Amino acid sequence: DLDAYTMQNIFRTLKAGSAASLIRNQDYSAPDVKFLGVLPEDIKKYDLFDYPVRENDAQEMRSLKKADDALKNDPFFQDKKNKGAADILRWLLKNKRRCEQQAYFSVNPKDPAMTEKIIIDKIRRGNYV
């Protein structure tokens, strides 16, 4: 899901461990985890439904602020190994657009296997972060 706060928080925690568990991060993380969710390029490639961030929604604006803060202050997003994740946040901040994983289901409603085909295509092409 191209939700700035959700992506940066969940993916970062899976990959590097939570900030609260810094002492034992290696015990509670999966450094090789990949993010297969909606990527910015997927919106055009698969003609996914997306929509603007509501700038009058305090929660959405807090999410963007947290994403901006993460890019500026979180060593995870400053590390070159995590450039792909940081690039997603930069795109979100610049474009202020959202797209959720459910959008894959609307690509071709007449083909119930389309979502599976898209995921297989993304994996084959290495289209993940």
Side-chain angles (χ1 to χ4, degrees):
D1 161 350
L2 281 176
D3 170 312
Y5 179 68
T6 302
M7 194 285 294
Q8 71 93 14
N9 192 30
I10 294 172
F11 181 65
R12 183 210 181 284
T13 301
L14 286 172
K15 193 166 179 81
S18 71
S21 68
L22 286 175
I23 296 170
R24 300 188 61 176
N25 270 352
Q26 68 276 8
D27 296 335
Y28 301 107
S29 64
D32 296 328
V33 71
K34 302 295 182 201
F35 179 77
L36 184 65
V38 179
L39 299 176
E41 59 268 19
D42 293 345
I43 295 171
K44 284 186 181 179
K45 178 173 178 61
Y46 302 112
D47 192 26
L48 300 178
F49 171 76
D50 69 315
Y51 54 95
V53 168
R54 296 180 306 249
E55 296 199 31
N56 61 345
D57 183 315
Q59 183 176 351
E60 289 191 18
M61 294 315 292
R62 269 193 307 276
S63 291
L64 289 178
K65 184 179 179 332
K66 287 179 180 183
D68 185 54
D69 183 59
L71 281 171
K72 292 176 181 171
N73 301 307
D74 189 330
F76 176 84
F77 290 100
Q78 295 170 355
D79 189 325
K80 290 178 184 175
K81 293 184 299 188
N82 302 313
K83 182 183 181 313
D87 287 346
I88 292 170
L89 289 184
R90 283 188 199 91
W91 184 91
L92 289 164
L93 290 166
K94 177 183 175 194
N95 295 286
K96 294 185 175 127
R97 305 285 304 168
R98 291 185 55 156
C99 183
E100 307 201 2
Q101 292 175 357
Q102 294 86 334
Y104 287 128
F105 292 99
S106 65
V107 172
N108 184 352
K110 294 181 181 180
D111 183 355
M114 183 55 76
T115 304
E116 184 178 330
K117 292 173 187 174
I118 290 171
I119 291 169
I120 291 169
D121 179 57
K122 287 174 59 77
I123 293 169
R124 282 190 180 134
R125 291 185 301 107
N127 189 17
Y128 45 79
V129 172

